[in-house]
Amino acid sequence: KAGVTQTPRYLIKTRGQQVTLSCSPISGHRSVSWYQQTPGQGLQFLFEYFSETQRNKGNFPGRFSGRQFSNSRSEMNVSTLELGDSALYLCASSLDGTAGNTIYFGEGSWLTVV
Amino acid sequence: QKEVEQNSGPLSVPEGAIASLNCTYSDRGSQSFFWYRQYSGKSPELIMFIYSNGDKEDGRFTAQLNKASQYVSLLIRDSQPSDSATYLCAVNLRSTGNQFYFGTGTSLTVIP
């Protein structure tokens, strides 16, 4: 069974640009959540999507957005990039997000903003 | 106060010893509790989860949960050099959906 797939794996962007990251969950998983990992702040929750709807949201500015498609694939977008957005962005999928569902991470997208 | 707190370490144990990792959480409504392992440059991988008070064993790993004390721990028996990694404690605050809060991780080194 294929795991969570994220693309691209590595990317470099310039301040002010925007970026779109893609995530394909494990087959049969309907919940997709996104996390940002930085050395200073650790792993921080961005948002969760289920059935094409944002179900939970973390404390990130509106520059961070996402969506989910009918096949459960998800994308996240960061607009007007700042240097502080340089991070590892992790997508995680779970069956349906009910209490106790475990989340499984993809390998992540390493974003560098210069 | 952070939702999940861990001792950042580093924690060093000799090969074959027991490594003990601890975690406290602030939200009494937390529903489920997880331990992830993360090797340098890699994404977190699930070790185990626990929902109910008490102990849960899986091979060399034992997770312990005490909801009254808001405390979760992970014991690694017969530690191996391959266990050297950062261990992340996580809690899911939600009864519906996923909103995981992670600790900053404890760095473990197992010395051969």
Side-chain angles (χ1 to χ4, degrees):
Chain A
K1 197 172 188 181
V4 180
T5 304
Q6 291 187 245
T7 56
R9 291 292 320 282
Y10 304 92
L11 63 166
I12 300 174
K13 291 287 187 178
T14 304
R15 268 184 306 174
Q17 287 186 316
Q18 72 159 10
V19 65
T20 299
L21 308 177
S22 180
C23 173
S24 293
I26 293 170
S27 178
H29 284 196
R30 298 169 60 197
S31 167
V32 174
S33 46
W34 289 89
Y35 291 80
Q36 181 196 66
Q37 188 173 32
T38 60
Q41 298 297 318
L43 261 167
Q44 292 185 284
F45 173 76
L46 281 155
F47 31 66
E48 182 214 9
Y49 284 86
F50 179 77
S51 291
E52 302 177 63
T53 301
Q54 187 180 86
R55 183 159 62 176
N56 290 298
K57 186 178 188 303
N59 295 322
F60 277 81
R63 299 186 297 108
F64 293 81
S65 62
R67 59 178 176 169
Q68 187 180 34
F69 303 96
S70 58
N71 62 358
S72 295
R73 192 176 68 83
S74 177
E75 290 181 346
M76 71 162 282
N77 183 278
V78 187
S79 62
T80 319
L81 283 165
E82 301 176 358
L83 295 178
D85 297 333
S86 295
L88 174 64
Y89 289 89
L90 291 160
C91 170
S93 77
S94 68
L95 270 172
D96 56 15
T98 54
N101 265 190
T102 52
I103 61 173
Y104 299 91
F105 287 95
E107 296 202 342
S109 293
W110 291 89
L111 171 65
T112 301
V113 182
V114 297
Chain B
Q1 181 188 7
K2 290 199 168 190
E3 288 83 3
V4 180
E5 304 226 33
Q6 294 181 252
N7 186 332
S8 62
L11 174 65
S12 294
V13 300
E15 184 174 353
I18 295 175
S20 177
L21 306 165
N22 304 312
C23 170
T24 58
Y25 60 95
S26 60
D27 192 323
R28 287 193 175 274
S30 298
Q31 298 288 318
S32 42
F33 308 86
F34 302 81
W35 284 99
Y36 285 82
R37 175 174 62 195
Q38 187 172 27
Y39 294 108
S40 181
K42 301 293 186 181
S43 63
E45 57 179 335
L46 178 71
I47 298 175
M48 61 190 304
F49 53 86
I50 186 167
Y51 310 138
S52 306
N53 278 328
D55 295 359
K56 180 182 179 183
E57 188 174 316
D58 184 0
R60 296 186 296 112
F61 299 94
T62 299
Q64 299 173 316
L65 173 62
N66 184 325
K67 289 188 176 181
S69 300
Q70 296 175 244
Y71 177 89
V72 191
S73 67
L74 180 70
L75 298 177
I76 306 174
R77 290 182 300 281
D78 188 24
S79 295
Q80 301 297 309
S82 59
D83 294 327
S84 298
T86 296
Y87 289 78
L88 300 166
C89 173
V91 303
N92 188 7
L93 270 59
R94 300 295 181 184
S95 58
T96 300
N98 290 319
Q99 185 162 356
F100 279 51
Y101 283 94
F102 285 80
T104 52
T106 298
S107 175
L108 171 67
T109 300
V110 180
I111 303 166

